[in-house]
Amino acid sequence: MAALSGTAPAWTATPRFQLLLGVAVLALVALLTAAPVFVVVVGALDANVWHETFAESRTNRSALAYSFLLALRAPIAAVLGFLIAWLLIRFRLPGGRFIEFAMWVTFFIPILPVTLSWILLMSPRYGLINQALQNLPFIDAPVFDIYSIGGILWVHVIAASVPVMVLLLGPAIRQLDASFEEVGRVCGSSPFQVFRRITLPILAPAILTGTLAGFIKSLEAFEVEQLLGRPADIYVYSTRIYDLASWEPPNFKGATALSTFVLTCLLLIAIVYQRLSRRTAHATILGRGASFAALQIGRVRWTISGILMLVVAIALVVPLAMLVVGSCMKLFGFFTIAAPYTLEHWRTVLADPTFMRSLVNSLVLSAGAGFGGVLLYAVIAYLIVRSRLPGRMLIDLLAWLPWSIPGILLGISVLWLILASPLLSFLYGSLFSLMLIMIIAQMPIGVHMMKTAIGQIGIELEHSSRMCGAGATRTFFAIVLPLIRPMLVSIFVIVFISAIRDISTIIFLASAKNQTLSLLMMQFSMASNLEASSVVGVVTTAIVVVVALAARRYGLDVMMQR
Amino acid sequence: MAPAATAHDAAILRVGGLVKAYGRTRVVDEVSFDLGPGEVLTLLGPSGCGKSTTLRMIAGLERPDGGEVWVRGRLVATGDGRVLVPPEGRNVGLVFQSYAIWPHMTVGENIAYPLRIRRVDRDVIRAKVAEMARLVKLDALIDRMSTALSGGQQQRVALARALVYEPDLLLLDEPLSNLDTVLRREMRAQIKALQGRLKTSLLYVTHDQQEAMSLSTRVAVMNHGRIEQLAAPGEVYERPATRFVQDFVGETIRLRGVVEPGTEARLRVGAALLAVALDGLAPGAPVEVTMRPEDIVVQSAPRTGNGLAGAVEDVTFYGDRLECQVRIDGADDQTVTVSAGKRQGLAPGARVFLAVDPARMRLWPL
């Protein structure tokens, strides 16, 4: 007995140790999240810059206007997404599981390759749809122009915003106790009346917060606007900042002013969002998670199912098919020339050492950010949820800060931070800097999901480990982490996929040395080498889909699933 | 401090003046007791009386705001925060009400965990886990995932896990309250047998007096953060030190009376005069007299002696016995509910005499 008891460490927790740990974690999180923002805002503390940036430049002003105009896709997508999610969840539709699954896959697909497909379909010069329509009588000009506000909106709504909304609103609809609707039916309402008078009002707060989140996130967009907006002289603030910063010499001052303005707007919206979502968090958990039977409906179900299948085709199947087709074309979009198909571009790209280097870089970046992020988020979330550290509320707030910072702003701020401090200059041009910024960018969702998972572990499972003689650290690794393993996998996959498809966040930190697949694809696109871009797009998309599918087999539970 | 430590070296656990406060409320208020080797001490009390908080401070899961905790002569916690050994450094075992069996491990892995933490040799671990599993009758389930266990089985895993490293002291926090009645009785017997065999000192927290009575060598009845009485179970039951203990432990029959002037050791309850030790109460003083229902013998024919005469008002049939509500003669507002043999043939309206031994009655000044 004595031999056994002697080995347990008699560690005494002094308040000073707690204080040190708290300060250390706080400093780390602040350095990662608040410091970049601080640098941007300080850079813009100059009245002249504001005058130059906004009063004298029409382009800057219109870029802001277009940014907010394009953000209006959030409410559109919220309506469509809610409708689709409701139909999928409440009714037993033929192929319902498949449609749900397709929405899930669409959610992960990078948007740049999809944009290429839509160029192939809707380019005013060679777009397949335009050509087909022009064969009809009375139509002698291209109907669609992808290089327009409408085109940009279309690509965003169909490829990203709607699937996101379906996944976001799905859980809220599932949580709604079916008895609310059943009571409505018993009282004599038709299904439509029930939807309008009961379901919709109850879920309205969830839809509103979803819309607000979509609004903030839509201000992050970069690559679609860059690819489709520039030819038509349409700038949004992200593409404008990119321009200002990549001029020779770069106009950093203008970029800071623009960034600060957008940041301020976003933070204000984000605060409203936080308030709203905290209130709805209570409002939506009405039922006791009661399971309900999906409703049987008559023939209409085939019609509904057909429409949803069409949505899937437009959102997922057609773009992917066109992407593969585009990568095999001699000249992107020219279907009518003799022998239009070739594998030449595949050969060229795959033989290019740059491609191989980018591929390796991308995989290392994504895996590194995934592992590093999961570990860091777990530690931060654990301290927030379980410790009594001083300043843990502040850590919580700071970890959430990047949520409202668009990738391009985060990228340029971290770049400035690196350039401004000699201590950090070793990071410049390194793959590690890209990992770091991806870890920062995904910190809000990562920490949030971890907090939820850790909060669900009964504290007694940890306490009994302590009683058995394991220290706090040992308990964290032997009990806490294994218990939230499904969540670790989910977060890893989310960070991995975000990193592999990211362009706007890492574009300022990239150089020839740490070039990634997504940036290579962007480069090819900007150089109008759309064939090569498609090849890289197919490869990237394939990696994303494989990872997402593998993760799903291991129980990745992204929102929609029960 | 030092002399105290040597004086109590024999004690496995010594708790002195333990305090836990939330704001101004003291949920544990100056609790002190010793626990000797092989002893089973129960903290008994209603929910919110501070018994679980006391246990958690001993375990190291809560920080005391006052007092000190010694385990095997080692100071492990002080109220001023000078010493606060974390739970893993106290070599104490704990069984939670929820069992806290880790769902990502098998039964065997759960039991082996404390030994692994202590870097015990692999073969020793295997042997000890097997032995422990046999003791709690889980040897057939050792490779089963712990999620596939019933409540009683989980309970036994928790016990095995807490005992396998031979802790100086085993703490049990309402370990049986999640089990059904039959299982609870069975587990109670098993804990008792296990304790008898391993001679581990137990500190047991419960609100169930039957558990407390049947398992403990001593019981500490707690209320509002304080220990009201700390004594052997029989003593607590027969001679409750306070009215709270009287009410909380066992069933109580309560009657109001007045000390009869001019007589010795006589108490008037309605028409009856009871012989009882008055403990210096002045004549005319109003008192409450309490007794256990089982100490009252219901006699059908009116008899004399120490007791109360009355009329049966209502009879309820319980299969093995009858329960009668008796209105005491001369005290119209006082009734007593007592058990009677079912062959006594009592019916409403029948005259009865409730005989009671004066030594079994306790007086509480009002």
Side-chain angles (χ1 to χ4, degrees):
Chain A
M1 188 187 278
L4 287 180
S5 62
T7 47
W11 176 82
T12 307
T14 59
R16 191 182 300 162
F17 176 79
Q18 282 230 332
L19 191 71
L20 275 177
L21 186 62
V23 169
V25 176
L26 187 63
L28 177 70
V29 178
L31 178 69
L32 290 178
T33 62
V37 177
F38 182 72
V39 175
V40 174
V41 176
V42 166
L45 287 179
D46 180 350
N48 284 335
V49 178
W50 287 85
H51 186 74
E52 274 168 40
T53 310
F54 294 106
E56 291 175 12
S57 164
R58 257 194 88 215
T59 323
N60 286 346
R61 287 202 304 271
S62 73
L64 284 176
Y66 275 132
S67 293
F68 284 96
L69 178 70
L70 282 167
L72 287 180
R73 64 176 176 271
I76 303 173
V79 171
L80 291 175
F82 174 73
L83 204 63
I84 293 173
W86 185 73
L87 289 171
L88 277 177
I89 291 169
R90 273 296 187 259
F91 299 104
R92 193 165 298 154
L93 298 175
R97 297 282 307 166
F98 170 77
I99 297 166
E100 202 179 307
F101 174 67
M103 286 293 158
W104 188 84
V105 174
T106 315
F107 170 73
F108 284 113
I109 303 272
I111 199 164
L112 186 59
V114 177
T115 313
L116 295 177
S117 306
W118 285 108
I119 293 178
L120 210 52
L121 288 166
M122 289 190 176
S123 157
R125 272 200 299 155
Y126 48 72
L128 271 182
I129 296 177
N130 283 327
Q131 284 180 16
L133 289 177
Q134 270 168 289
N135 287 337
L136 299 174
F138 310 118
I139 298 179
D140 39 15
V143 179
F144 297 111
D145 181 1
I146 196 73
Y147 299 102
S148 66
I149 283 286
I152 296 171
L153 262 182
W154 168 253
V155 171
H156 274 303
V157 166
I158 194 72
S161 311
V162 167
V164 169
M165 283 300 171
V166 172
L167 297 184
L168 210 62
L169 295 175
I173 298 175
R174 273 201 212 286
Q175 266 178 7
L176 182 71
D177 197 321
S179 55
F180 290 127
E181 293 191 352
E182 286 160 2
V183 166
R185 289 300 297 280
V186 173
C187 291
S189 314
S190 70
F192 178 72
Q193 282 172 321
V194 167
F195 177 75
R196 201 168 56 90
R197 293 184 172 275
I198 296 172
T199 315
L200 212 52
I202 293 179
L203 291 174
I207 300 170
L208 187 62
T209 47
T211 309
L212 219 47
F215 190 83
I216 295 171
K217 289 286 140 188
S218 65
L219 288 169
E220 292 214 336
F222 170 70
E223 50 261 46
V224 179
E225 285 76 357
Q226 181 79 346
L227 205 57
L228 299 180
R230 288 172 66 94
D233 255 335
I234 297 169
Y235 282 93
V236 292
Y237 86 91
S238 60
T239 53
R240 184 67 187 158
I241 285 176
Y242 179 70
D243 267 17
L244 290 174
S246 35
W247 279 346
E248 282 297 339
N251 179 358
F252 276 145
K253 284 274 172 193
T256 43
L258 205 53
S259 305
T260 305
F261 180 80
V262 175
L263 261 182
T264 313
C265 294
L266 281 174
L267 275 176
L268 289 178
I269 305 174
I271 290 168
V272 175
Y273 167 83
Q274 271 259 317
R275 297 233 149 159
L276 264 178
S277 67
R278 216 170 278 156
R279 213 174 302 160
T280 52
H282 301 295
T284 43
I285 305 170
L286 294 162
R288 281 140 286 140
S291 64
F292 55 86
L295 295 175
Q296 294 274 19
I297 43 172
R299 293 251 179 80
V300 198
R301 71 183 197 273
W302 292 100
T303 318
I304 297 175
S305 186
I307 293 170
L308 293 183
M309 287 288 189
L310 194 66
V311 173
V312 168
I314 296 172
L316 183 69
V317 182
V318 172
L320 289 191
M322 290 316 291
L323 182 67
V324 176
V325 170
S327 73
C328 299
M329 295 194 80
K330 198 174 274 174
L331 261 177
F332 196 79
F334 289 81
F335 293 94
T336 44
I337 58 173
Y341 300 106
T342 172
L343 287 177
E344 189 54 38
H345 302 295
W346 278 91
R347 273 189 286 265
T348 320
V349 170
L350 294 184
D352 187 350
T354 315
F355 171 79
M356 279 317 290
R357 203 171 56 232
S358 306
L359 177 63
V360 172
N361 279 347
S362 266
L363 293 176
V364 172
L365 159 66
S366 306
F371 281 120
V374 162
L375 196 64
L376 182 67
Y377 306 154
V379 171
I380 293 176
Y382 187 75
L383 290 178
I384 294 172
V385 176
R386 288 286 200 244
S387 79
R388 291 172 195 170
L389 285 185
R392 65 185 192 281
M393 299 312 286
L394 193 58
I395 296 174
D396 198 8
L397 195 70
L398 285 174
W400 175 77
L401 191 60
W403 188 78
S404 58
I405 305 174
I408 196 111
L409 290 189
L410 194 62
I412 202 163
S413 348
V414 170
L415 176 69
W416 283 328
L417 198 62
I418 289 176
L419 293 181
S421 64
L423 280 176
L424 298 175
S425 60
F426 74 96
L427 284 172
Y428 185 72
S430 68
L431 207 50
F432 183 66
S433 66
L434 301 190
M435 276 181 211
L436 212 55
I437 198 168
M438 285 317 299
I439 291 176
I440 299 173
Q442 298 303 319
M443 190 182 287
I445 183 156
V447 169
H448 177 77
M449 287 169 76
M450 288 284 188
K451 268 163 56 188
T452 314
I454 292 171
Q456 279 165 355
I457 303 176
I459 189 122
E460 300 190 336
L461 293 176
E462 291 169 46
H463 281 164
S464 51
S465 166
R466 302 290 298 272
M467 295 310 303
C468 287
T473 318
R474 180 76 186 255
T475 299
F476 180 72
F477 284 103
I479 305 293
V480 177
L481 288 190
L483 282 175
I484 57 170
R485 194 162 48 195
M487 188 55 95
L488 300 182
V489 174
S490 299
I491 295 173
F492 175 85
V493 168
I494 288 171
V495 178
F496 184 97
I497 291 177
S498 310
I500 210 162
R501 66 183 195 178
D502 184 85
I503 292 171
S504 63
T505 315
I506 58 174
I507 196 163
F508 280 119
L509 296 175
S511 62
K513 213 172 61 180
N514 59 3
Q515 168 99 291
T516 67
L517 273 189
S518 53
L519 293 174
L520 184 66
M521 184 167 34
M522 191 72 200
Q523 227 173 46
F524 280 138
S525 301
M526 295 315 295
S528 293
N529 187 353
L530 298 187
E531 302 88 352
S533 185
S534 300
V535 171
V536 183
V538 171
V539 174
T540 315
T541 308
I543 296 175
V544 167
V545 170
V546 167
V547 171
L549 290 185
R552 193 179 167 98
R553 287 210 52 183
Y554 284 97
L556 171 60
D557 198 349
V558 172
M559 296 171 263
M560 194 77 175
Q561 293 296 305
R562 243 176 283 188
Chain B
M1 211 62 38
T6 42
H8 290 279
D9 258 356
I12 294 295
L13 171 70
R14 185 186 152 228
V15 174
L18 207 56
V19 172
K20 179 75 191 175
Y22 293 113
R24 287 225 183 118
T25 338
R26 284 187 161 191
V27 291
V28 174
D29 193 2
E30 303 277 344
V31 164
S32 308
F33 60 86
D34 284 8
L35 179 63
E39 201 187 356
V40 180
L41 186 122
T42 298
L43 303 181
L44 173 69
S47 62
C49 72
K51 57 190 191 301
S52 278
T53 311
T54 304
L55 176 124
R56 291 169 64 82
M57 285 191 282
I58 294 164
L61 300 172
E62 301 274 355
R63 186 189 291 250
D65 294 317
E68 43 195 49
V69 179
W70 301 72
V71 176
R72 253 186 195 273
R74 184 165 68 114
L75 185 61
V76 294
T78 58
D80 55 13
R82 196 165 39 85
V83 178
L84 187 67
V85 178
E88 65 268 24
R90 299 190 180 190
N91 199 39
V92 163
L94 173 55
V95 174
F96 287 94
Q97 183 176 3
S98 64
Y99 318 136
I101 300 302
W102 299 306
H104 62 299
M105 296 182 188
T106 63
V107 169
E109 284 166 351
N110 261 290
I111 302 176
Y113 183 86
L115 299 177
R116 283 218 189 101
I117 294 296
R118 288 166 171 75
R119 298 181 203 285
V120 175
D121 194 64
R122 246 165 207 279
D123 298 328
V124 180
I125 292 185
R126 198 169 307 132
K128 283 197 172 247
V129 169
E131 189 202 331
M132 208 60 230
R134 196 177 44 74
L135 272 179
V136 295
K137 303 192 180 97
L138 280 171
D139 29 353
L141 303 176
I142 211 153
D143 292 319
R144 173 124 22 131
M145 277 316 283
S146 49
T147 41
L149 295 180
S150 70
Q153 288 164 341
Q154 288 192 31
Q155 163 78 80
R156 279 159 21 214
V157 177
L159 257 177
R161 184 179 65 189
L163 285 170
V164 72
Y165 55 100
E166 297 165 29
D168 293 324
L169 167 68
L170 180 63
L171 310 172
L172 297 121
D173 189 2
E174 306 249 5
L176 303 181
S177 54
N178 282 351
L179 301 176
D180 62 54
T181 327
V182 178
L183 210 52
R184 199 179 302 175
R185 190 170 302 168
E186 203 180 298
M187 283 306 302
R188 202 163 66 201
Q190 218 179 90
I191 291 177
K192 197 170 182 179
L194 208 58
Q195 197 276 335
R197 199 171 164 149
L198 300 175
K199 302 273 183 274
T200 314
S201 306
L202 289 191
L203 180 65
Y204 194 102
V205 160
T206 185
H207 64 270
D208 182 321
Q209 42 162 317
Q210 282 191 12
E211 271 171 48
M213 295 293 147
S214 59
L215 279 173
S216 324
T217 40
R218 279 189 301 157
V219 177
V221 184
M222 288 186 71
N223 188 33
H224 295 309
R226 290 177 165 275
I227 293 183
E228 301 243 341
Q229 186 174 14
L230 173 55
E235 173 88 7
V236 167
Y237 191 85
E238 302 293 353
R239 277 178 291 283
T242 64
R243 278 178 64 149
F244 172 79
V245 177
Q246 166 84 45
D247 291 349
F248 188 75
V249 180
E251 298 279 308
T252 298
I253 283 175
R254 238 182 244 132
L255 291 166
R256 284 188 314 281
V258 180
V259 178
E260 185 76 359
T263 53
E264 267 176 38
R266 290 254 159 188
L267 180 74
R268 177 167 295 282
V269 177
L273 273 178
L274 297 173
V276 62
L278 285 175
D279 297 332
L281 284 164
V287 293
E288 186 170 76
V289 57
T290 59
M291 55 207 98
R292 301 294 184 195
E294 71 269 19
D295 290 334
I296 293 175
V297 181
V298 182
Q299 299 170 339
S300 317
R303 306 244 178 112
T304 48
N306 198 53
L308 301 146
V312 176
E313 283 219 318
D314 194 22
V315 177
T316 313
F317 179 62
Y318 277 96
D320 56 340
R321 69 200 152 90
L322 296 175
E323 221 174 72
C324 307
Q325 223 176 52
V326 178
R327 189 166 294 280
I328 306 299
D329 287 351
D332 284 348
D333 56 338
Q334 301 203 55
T335 59
V336 169
T337 306
V338 289
S339 290
K342 56 184 172 184
R343 285 186 191 84
Q344 273 179 278
L346 292 173
R351 298 284 309 162
V352 286
F353 186 75
L354 308 177
V356 57
D357 177 356
R360 299 283 177 193
M361 292 191 290
R362 305 190 71 75
L363 291 191
W364 310 94
L366 282 173

Coordinates of all heavy atoms in Angstrom, one line a residue, chain A residues 343-377:
Chain A
L343 N -5.6 15.8 -73.3 CA -5.1 15.6 -72.0 C -3.8 16.3 -71.8 O -3.1 16.2 -70.8 CB -4.9 14.1 -71.7 CG -6.2 13.3 -71.5 CD1 -5.8 11.8 -71.2 CD2 -7.0 13.8 -70.3
E344 N -3.5 17.2 -72.8 CA -2.2 17.9 -72.8 C -2.0 18.7 -71.5 O -0.9 18.7 -70.9 CB -2.2 18.8 -74.0 CG -0.9 19.5 -74.3 CD 0.3 18.5 -74.4 OE1 0.1 17.4 -75.0 OE2 1.4 18.8 -73.9
H345 N -3.1 19.4 -71.1 CA -2.9 20.2 -69.9 C -2.6 19.4 -68.6 O -1.9 19.8 -67.8 CB -4.2 21.1 -69.7 CG -4.5 21.9 -70.9 ND1 -3.7 23.0 -71.3 CD2 -5.5 21.9 -71.8 CE1 -4.2 23.5 -72.3 NE2 -5.3 22.9 -72.7
W346 N -3.3 18.3 -68.6 CA -3.0 17.4 -67.4 C -1.5 17.0 -67.4 O -0.9 17.1 -66.4 CB -3.8 16.1 -67.5 CG -5.2 16.3 -67.0 CD1 -6.3 16.7 -67.7 CD2 -5.6 16.2 -65.6 NE1 -7.4 16.9 -66.8 CE2 -7.0 16.5 -65.6 CE3 -5.0 15.8 -64.4 CZ2 -7.7 16.5 -64.4 CZ3 -5.7 15.8 -63.3 CH2 -7.1 16.1 -63.2
R347 N -1.0 16.6 -68.6 CA 0.4 16.3 -68.7 C 1.3 17.4 -68.3 O 2.2 17.3 -67.4 CB 0.8 15.8 -70.1 CG 0.5 14.3 -70.4 CD 1.1 13.9 -71.7 NE 0.3 14.4 -72.8 CZ -0.7 13.7 -73.4 NH1 -0.9 12.5 -73.1 NH2 -1.4 14.2 -74.4
T348 N 1.0 18.6 -68.8 CA 1.9 19.8 -68.5 C 1.9 20.1 -67.0 O 2.9 20.2 -66.4 CB 1.3 21.0 -69.3 OG1 0.9 20.6 -70.6 CG2 2.4 22.1 -69.3
V349 N 0.7 20.1 -66.5 CA 0.6 20.5 -65.1 C 1.2 19.5 -64.2 O 2.0 19.9 -63.3 CB -0.9 20.8 -64.7 CG1 -1.0 20.9 -63.2 CG2 -1.5 22.0 -65.4
L350 N 0.9 18.2 -64.4 CA 1.4 17.2 -63.5 C 2.9 17.1 -63.6 O 3.6 16.7 -62.6 CB 0.8 15.9 -63.8 CG -0.7 15.8 -63.5 CD1 -1.2 14.4 -63.8 CD2 -1.0 16.2 -62.1
A351 N 3.5 17.5 -64.8 CA 4.9 17.4 -64.9 C 5.6 18.6 -64.3 O 6.8 18.6 -64.1 CB 5.3 17.3 -66.4
D352 N 4.9 19.7 -64.1 CA 5.4 20.9 -63.6 C 5.9 20.7 -62.1 O 5.0 20.4 -61.3 CB 4.3 22.0 -63.7 CG 4.9 23.4 -63.3 OD1 6.0 23.4 -62.8 OD2 4.2 24.4 -63.5
P353 N 7.2 21.0 -61.8 CA 7.6 20.8 -60.4 C 6.8 21.7 -59.5 O 6.7 21.4 -58.3 CB 9.1 21.1 -60.5 CG 9.3 21.8 -61.8 CD 8.3 21.3 -62.7
T354 N 6.4 22.9 -60.0 CA 5.7 23.8 -59.1 C 4.4 23.2 -58.6 O 4.0 23.3 -57.5 CB 5.2 25.1 -60.0 OG1 6.3 25.5 -60.7 CG2 4.7 26.2 -59.0
F355 N 3.7 22.4 -59.5 CA 2.5 21.7 -59.1 C 2.8 20.7 -57.9 O 2.1 20.7 -56.9 CB 1.9 21.0 -60.3 CG 0.7 20.1 -59.8 CD1 -0.5 20.6 -59.6 CD2 0.9 18.7 -59.7 CE1 -1.6 19.8 -59.2 CE2 -0.1 17.9 -59.3 CZ -1.4 18.5 -59.0
M356 N 3.8 19.9 -58.1 CA 4.1 18.9 -57.1 C 4.5 19.6 -55.8 O 4.0 19.2 -54.7 CB 5.3 18.0 -57.5 CG 4.9 16.9 -58.4 SD 3.4 16.1 -57.9 CE 4.0 15.2 -56.5
R357 N 5.3 20.7 -55.9 CA 5.6 21.4 -54.7 C 4.4 22.0 -54.0 O 4.2 21.9 -52.8 CB 6.6 22.5 -55.0 CG 7.5 23.0 -53.8 CD 8.6 23.9 -54.2 NE 8.1 25.1 -54.9 CZ 8.5 25.5 -56.1 NH1 9.5 24.8 -56.7 NH2 8.0 26.6 -56.6
S358 N 3.5 22.6 -54.8 CA 2.3 23.2 -54.3 C 1.4 22.1 -53.6 O 0.8 22.3 -52.5 CB 1.5 23.9 -55.3 OG 2.3 24.8 -56.0
L359 N 1.3 20.9 -54.3 CA 0.5 19.8 -53.7 C 1.1 19.5 -52.3 O 0.3 19.4 -51.3 CB 0.6 18.6 -54.6 CG -0.2 17.4 -54.2 CD1 -1.6 17.7 -54.0 CD2 0.1 16.2 -55.1
V360 N 2.4 19.3 -52.2 CA 3.0 18.9 -51.0 C 2.7 20.0 -49.9 O 2.3 19.7 -48.8 CB 4.5 18.6 -51.1 CG1 5.2 18.4 -49.8 CG2 4.7 17.4 -52.0
N361 N 3.0 21.2 -50.4 CA 2.8 22.4 -49.5 C 1.3 22.4 -48.9 O 1.1 22.6 -47.7 CB 3.0 23.7 -50.2 CG 4.5 24.0 -50.2 OD1 5.3 23.4 -49.5 ND2 4.9 25.0 -51.0
S362 N 0.4 22.2 -49.8 CA -1.0 22.2 -49.4 C -1.3 21.2 -48.4 O -2.0 21.4 -47.4 CB -1.9 22.0 -50.7 OG -2.3 23.2 -51.2
L363 N -0.8 19.9 -48.7 CA -1.1 18.8 -47.7 C -0.5 19.1 -46.4 O -1.1 18.9 -45.3 CB -0.7 17.5 -48.3 CG -1.4 17.1 -49.6 CD1 -0.8 15.8 -50.2 CD2 -2.9 16.9 -49.2
V364 N 0.8 19.5 -46.4 CA 1.5 19.8 -45.2 C 0.8 20.9 -44.4 O 0.5 20.8 -43.2 CB 3.0 20.2 -45.4 CG1 3.6 20.7 -44.1 CG2 3.7 19.0 -46.0
L365 N 0.4 22.0 -45.1 CA -0.3 23.1 -44.5 C -1.6 22.7 -43.9 O -1.8 23.0 -42.7 CB -0.6 24.2 -45.6 CG -1.7 25.2 -45.2 CD1 -1.3 26.1 -44.0 CD2 -2.0 26.1 -46.4
S366 N -2.4 21.9 -44.6 CA -3.7 21.6 -44.1 C -3.6 20.6 -43.0 O -4.3 20.8 -41.9 CB -4.5 20.9 -45.3 OG -4.5 21.7 -46.4
A367 N -2.7 19.6 -43.1 CA -2.6 18.6 -42.0 C -2.0 19.3 -40.8 O -2.5 19.1 -39.6 CB -1.7 17.5 -42.4
G368 N -1.0 20.2 -41.0 CA -0.4 20.9 -39.8 C -1.4 21.8 -39.1 O -1.5 21.8 -37.9
A369 N -2.1 22.6 -39.9 CA -3.1 23.5 -39.4 C -4.2 22.6 -38.6 O -4.6 23.0 -37.6 CB -3.8 24.3 -40.4
G370 N -4.5 21.5 -39.2 CA -5.5 20.6 -38.6 C -5.1 20.1 -37.3 O -5.8 20.3 -36.3
F371 N -3.9 19.5 -37.2 CA -3.4 19.0 -35.9 C -3.2 20.1 -34.9 O -3.6 20.0 -33.8 CB -2.1 18.2 -36.2 CG -2.4 16.8 -36.7 CD1 -1.8 16.4 -37.9 CD2 -3.1 15.9 -36.0 CE1 -2.1 15.2 -38.4 CE2 -3.4 14.6 -36.5 CZ -2.9 14.3 -37.7
G372 N -2.4 21.1 -35.4 CA -2.1 22.2 -34.5 C -3.4 22.9 -33.9 O -3.5 23.1 -32.7
G373 N -4.3 23.1 -34.9 CA -5.5 23.8 -34.5 C -6.3 23.0 -33.5 O -6.7 23.5 -32.4
V374 N -6.5 21.7 -33.8 CA -7.3 20.8 -32.9 C -6.7 20.9 -31.4 O -7.4 21.0 -30.5 CB -7.3 19.4 -33.4 CG1 -7.7 18.4 -32.3 CG2 -8.3 19.3 -34.6
L375 N -5.4 20.8 -31.4 CA -4.7 20.7 -30.0 C -4.9 22.1 -29.4 O -5.3 22.2 -28.2 CB -3.2 20.4 -30.2 CG -2.6 20.0 -28.9 CD1 -3.2 18.7 -28.4 CD2 -1.1 19.8 -29.1
L376 N -4.6 23.2 -30.1 CA -4.7 24.5 -29.5 C -6.2 24.8 -29.1 O -6.4 25.3 -28.0 CB -4.2 25.6 -30.5 CG -4.2 27.0 -29.9 CD1 -3.2 27.1 -28.8 CD2 -4.0 28.0 -31.0
Y377 N -7.1 24.5 -29.9 CA -8.5 24.8 -29.6 C -9.0 24.0 -28.4 O -9.7 24.5 -27.5 CB -9.5 24.5 -30.8 CG -9.1 25.1 -32.1 CD1 -9.5 24.5 -33.3 CD2 -8.4 26.3 -32.2 CE1 -9.2 25.1 -34.5 CE2 -8.1 26.9 -33.4 CZ -8.5 26.2 -34.6 OH -8.2 26.8 -35.8

